[in-house]
């Protein structure tokens, strides 16, 4: 049973304060992971976290996004360095609780190829799982053929990893409790984009890494069931429940 | 023309002082690279540096070597973290001089597979070169199938990269001016191990990442000519000369 879990950048950082971890939220998430895994990650969890207040400000400053690249190596080092600092904090919080977290940096592990596809070989992540480590990936700046380097979002990584590892379950934990309908209620299940086109069609956020509409489309294309939920439901998801919105 | 260049750990760090860069030596090496490359790395140089006083003490403390692995994620984070700190210093020194250096961390880029072979896809490094970046790799701790995680040396990386990238030239810059004969003189050329077996046979150093004998054997197996030389000859090597000992 392989689970790919994403923690949104806004879950683990104070999104409006540069390079600031939300210590309480990170501790709560790390506690939930420590309860659900063991010292050799027998649950085969792969964690991906977003950039929050670490990656986004640097990316915005240099005008780098998933579609706008840079050939400025200094910009690459700065964005990647900020993401590594957040990744170190996340890994340390997990490590303190006995979770065998080790970093897996997308900047080194992959790149966007000439077909605009994220090439990130799953065997490196799989080898970490097989050896009992819990790999922790993150939104990052990666080489992009023809464009220098662009941002790869945590959501892109989740999709690539779920497919590459043939994951059994996917969880996307953000600050909202699921996909919301017009009345603000959580939609319990989405099986086709047409079901939610009215609600999501015009609601793309300004997040450079894409809004809910694109996210739902990409997640629907996966074989694995995907749960979208808020931080309070993380423990339930890791215990096997399907909180929030189920996309399958 | 692709060149794989290794800077030994003892060239860029003060080997006996924990986590201490040899600032003058690093500056001199960075100057030489800045003179030989340009802002889009048209010379297609890939740099690999060793661990020196950053990686080795942590690896030794945890009993991790190329053959002795660990399943302790904390040890992995500690060794890798120290190597990243050195890598940041090397990339920064290059960046200050206009060299488009970006990190490429072996811990995320590769692993040792079930055949005891370092699997490190060359296309990720090649994509960085193609986009005008100068990738900077380093000795690191990597996942090792069946053994947890082990040390991969800078020398191992040089061999894997030279082969994977079909490099035209390889340079190995250490604190000695080349392979020395019994009288302490530099041997100008080695074309077969038998030529130097008497000199190297009994001289394996205690370096956990292997002595000169194993290094020469591995370099002889490469298609590309390899120059082994000291720091003073780095500029000459980058200018196209074959200083020190030529292994081909």
């Amino acid at each position: 049973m392989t689970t790919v879990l994403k923690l949104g950048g806004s879950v683990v950082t104070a999104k409006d304060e540069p390079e600031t971890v939300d210590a309480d939220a990170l501790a709560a998430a790390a506690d939930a992971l420590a309860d659900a895994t063991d010292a050799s990650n027998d649950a085969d969890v792969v964690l991906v976290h977003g950039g929050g207040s670490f990656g986004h400000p640097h990316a915005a400053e240099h005008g780098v996004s998933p579609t706008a690249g840079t050939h400025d190596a200094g910009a690459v080092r700065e964005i990647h360095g900020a993401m590594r600092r957040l990744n170190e904090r996340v890994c340390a919080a997990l490590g303190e609780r006995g979770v065998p977290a080790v970093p897996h940096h997308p900047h080194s592990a992959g790149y966007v190829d000439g077909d605009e596809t994220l090439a990130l070989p799953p065997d490196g992540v799989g080898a970490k799982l097989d050896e009992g480590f819990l790999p922790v990936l993150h939104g990052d700046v990666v080489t992009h053929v023809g464009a220098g380097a662009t941002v790869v979002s945590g959501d892109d990584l989740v999709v690539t990893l779920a497919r590459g590892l043939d994951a059994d379950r996917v969880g996307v934990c953000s600050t909202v409790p699921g996909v919301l309908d017009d009345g603000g209620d959580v939609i319990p299940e989405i099986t086709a984009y047409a079901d939610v086109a009215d609600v999501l069609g015009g609601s793309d956020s300004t997040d450079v890494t894409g809004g809910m509409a694109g996210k739902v489309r990409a997640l629907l294309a996966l074989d694995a069931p995907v749960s979208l939920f808020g931080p309070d439901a993380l423990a339930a998801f890791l215990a096997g429940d399907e909180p929030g919105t189920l996309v399958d």
Side-chain angles (χ1 to χ4, degrees), chain A:
Chain A
M1 171 78 89
T2 301
T3 301
V4 175
L5 172 66
K6 184 191 167 203
L7 288 177
S10 54
V11 173
V12 291
T13 71
K15 204 158 183 172
D16 296 328
E17 296 172 56
E19 300 208 15
T20 305
V21 166
D22 183 333
D24 290 344
L26 176 56
D31 284 340
L33 273 156
D35 285 344
T37 61
D38 62 8
S40 55
N41 189 23
D42 283 343
D44 278 343
V45 175
V46 177
L47 183 63
V48 178
H49 62 81
S53 63
F54 284 71
H56 289 291
H58 294 289
E61 183 193 330
H62 293 286
V64 184
S65 75
T67 51
T70 183
H71 284 92
D72 177 353
V76 172
R77 291 195 302 274
E78 193 178 307
I79 301 165
H80 178 60
M83 286 308 307
R84 276 197 323 229
R85 286 191 287 278
L86 175 56
N87 183 256
E88 274 199 65
R89 299 285 296 272
V90 173
C91 286
L94 292 167
E96 285 164 12
R97 290 161 175 84
V99 178
V102 294
H104 195 87
H105 305 300
H107 174 76
S108 299
Y111 64 102
V112 178
D113 67 20
D115 296 324
E116 302 290 324
T117 299
L118 175 61
L120 193 136
D123 53 344
V125 178
K128 285 188 167 83
L129 287 177
D130 289 345
E131 293 303 312
F133 299 117
L134 190 151
V136 185
L137 295 90
H138 52 85
D140 205 351
V141 58
V142 300
T143 314
H144 189 131
V145 171
T150 53
V151 168
V152 59
S153 71
D155 291 328
D156 292 338
L157 289 164
V158 164
V159 169
T160 297
L161 288 168
R163 202 165 275 144
L165 295 168
D166 195 15
D168 301 285
R169 303 180 76 210
V170 175
V172 176
C173 178
S174 71
T175 49
V176 289
V179 181
L180 306 181
D181 66 19
D182 283 336
D185 294 319
V186 172
I187 301 170
E189 188 168 14
I190 301 172
T191 55
Y193 190 73
D195 299 349
V196 288
D198 290 349
V199 182
L200 300 180
S203 71
D204 279 331
S205 93
T206 54
D207 182 341
V208 291
T209 55
M212 187 63 87
K215 184 187 297 197
V216 168
R217 270 200 203 89
L219 296 177
L220 274 166
L222 293 178
D223 289 336
V226 183
S227 293
L228 293 97
F229 52 86
D232 293 345
L234 176 55
F237 171 77
L238 289 169
D241 291 353
E242 292 170 341
T245 300
L246 180 67
V247 176
D248 65 357

